[in-house]
Amino acid sequence: MARFEDKHPELIARLTQAAHVAVFTGAGVSAESGIPTFRDEEGLWQKYEPQELATMEAFLNQPEVVQAWYKHRRAIIHEKKPNPAHHALAQLEPFFQEFAVITQNVDNLHQEAGSKNVIELHGSILRNYCVDCKQEAAEQTLNQMAEGQPVQCPKCKGLIRPDVVWFGESLPQGAFEKASQIVCQADVLLSIGTSAVVFPAAQLPITAKEHGAYLAEINIERSDLSPFVDETILGKAGEILPDLTAAVSKRISATNN
Ligand code: BV8
Ligand code: ZN
């Protein structure tokens, strides 16, 4: 079985020389944890139209349905664990002067796996707040929701929503600016497990490349980003990333001795 570094010499050479590495992740990095992706055949969106549920308008029209959908997704996430892809990325971090995980995911699994520098472009499903008084709402308040009844803020009776970015909503100010700065300085950007269809997030890997980064994609199939990348590695993130991290660790330890 050819070694990772023999199959991807350019990527390993670039990573070995890199000071700044950025990783851009999507739902595919959590797929092997058992969390459905958005656009694969069994993806979450297949059952619902994105516009139907992940928008403020849908929420105001049918808050109890949107709250129930997020409660269902939180329950799935609480049962799942980080997979080898998340762990391999957390193990990569110490090898570089700067290593940032810029994620579109809202499942907190990168942080659970030990990644320190994580930017959540689309927020987190584990945080909820009242749309009127902005008070953070405890998850159990939401879990007590009665069938068909929207959950209201205990303080002001406002509706409670997840702290995620819905379609038509702008990304958290600081997060997108910080992610943009990071990708402009990246020597290497790894795009992992994303269809790269959602903007402005999907612009980030392209911005990295425009600023001189070596752009590699790890995905089980080609994505909208594929035409722009220097290299596409087809396969499962949970199988490829441990090999990548092992190859980088071996090469960097060898150069340090
Ligand atoms: C904005 C959080 C404006 C919520 C999400 C036309 C009409 C309407 C809107 C638009 C339009 N054109 C552009 C837009 C804007 C819109 C957009 O991009 N729409 C797309 C669909 C065309 N964007 C927005 O609305 C954004 N806001 O533009 O605001 C604005 C600007 C200024 C001021 C005010 C307003 C906000 C977008 C954020 C939406 N929120 N999520 C929630 O989670 O419920 S998006 C959602 O999709 C997730 O965050 C997810 O990250 C994102 C992208 O999906 P992926 O992560 O890539 O997942 P996907 O399933 O698609 O792909 C998985 C990939 O992994 C696949 O390729 C698969 O092959 C691969 N894979 C599977 N298994 C594995 C694997 N790879 C490796 N290993 C495996 N094991
Ligand atoms: Zn309130």
Side-chain angles (χ1 to χ4, degrees):
M1 164 79 158
R3 298 178 314 165
F4 187 92
E5 52 271 42
D6 301 332
K7 288 189 287 185
H8 308 286
E10 179 65 20
L11 175 56
I12 293 299
R14 296 278 183 147
L15 283 169
T16 313
Q17 290 140 21
H20 303 272
V21 173
V23 179
F24 177 68
T25 66
V29 92
S30 297
E32 290 156 88
S33 296
I35 297 180
T37 66
F38 288 84
R39 291 168 185 83
D40 289 347
E41 51 291 341
E42 86 292 354
L44 283 173
W45 292 132
Q46 248 51 44
K47 300 182 186 68
Y48 305 100
E49 275 310 308
Q51 287 69 16
E52 193 182 330
L53 293 179
T55 64
M56 176 56 97
E57 176 217 348
F59 177 69
L60 295 176
N61 282 344
Q62 40 181 11
E64 69 288 351
V65 171
V66 174
Q67 285 176 340
W69 184 52
Y70 280 95
K71 180 180 170 194
H72 162 72
R73 286 175 61 191
R74 271 198 307 278
I76 293 175
I77 285 170
H78 282 313
E79 283 161 21
K80 308 299 182 191
K81 289 271 155 278
N83 70 64
H86 297 105
H87 291 298
L89 290 175
Q91 286 148 21
L92 262 186
E93 198 158 343
F95 289 116
F96 302 99
Q97 192 184 314
E98 176 174 56
F99 185 93
V101 176
I102 300 167
T103 189
Q104 302 169 90
N105 299 338
V106 296
D107 57 27
N108 198 56
L109 288 184
H110 284 302
Q111 293 92 326
E112 249 188 74
S115 285
K116 305 262 181 313
N117 189 5
V118 180
I119 297 174
E120 294 176 320
L121 292 176
H122 294 159
S124 169
I125 202 169
L126 303 184
R127 291 191 303 270
N128 298 275
Y129 66 93
C130 165
V131 292
D132 293 336
C133 71
K134 308 296 178 221
Q135 174 164 299
E136 180 131 6
E139 230 183 273
Q140 59 266 31
T141 315
L142 285 147
N143 293 344
Q144 283 147 14
M145 74 183 294
E147 186 63 29
Q149 288 301 320
V151 178
Q152 292 171 314
C153 166
K155 199 171 135 211
C156 78
K157 298 273 170 275
L159 285 172
I160 293 175
R161 65 164 286 176
D163 186 15
V164 298
V165 179
W166 279 333
F167 287 101
E169 292 188 324
S170 48
L171 275 57
Q173 199 62 20
F176 193 68
E177 273 59 39
K178 194 167 164 220
S180 303
Q181 268 167 13
I182 286 169
V183 301
C184 287
Q185 291 179 346
D187 301 307
V188 176
L189 186 140
L190 302 176
S191 175
I192 308 171
T194 182
S195 58
V197 300
V198 171
F199 284 83
Q203 188 60 36
L204 290 167
I206 296 174
T207 305
K209 177 124 181 78
E210 285 165 352
H211 285 76
Y214 185 79
L215 179 55
E217 170 182 48
I218 295 168
N219 219 57
I220 55 169
E221 61 189 349
R222 290 178 63 77
S223 74
D224 283 13
L225 188 66
S226 301
F228 305 96
V229 303
D230 293 299
E231 175 171 8
T232 291
I233 306 178
L234 290 179
K236 289 185 173 183
E239 290 166 10
I240 289 171
L241 287 170
D243 290 348
L244 181 149
T245 297
V248 168
S249 144
K250 203 163 61 183
R251 183 67 64 82
I252 289 186
S253 328
T255 40
N256 289 351
N257 298 338

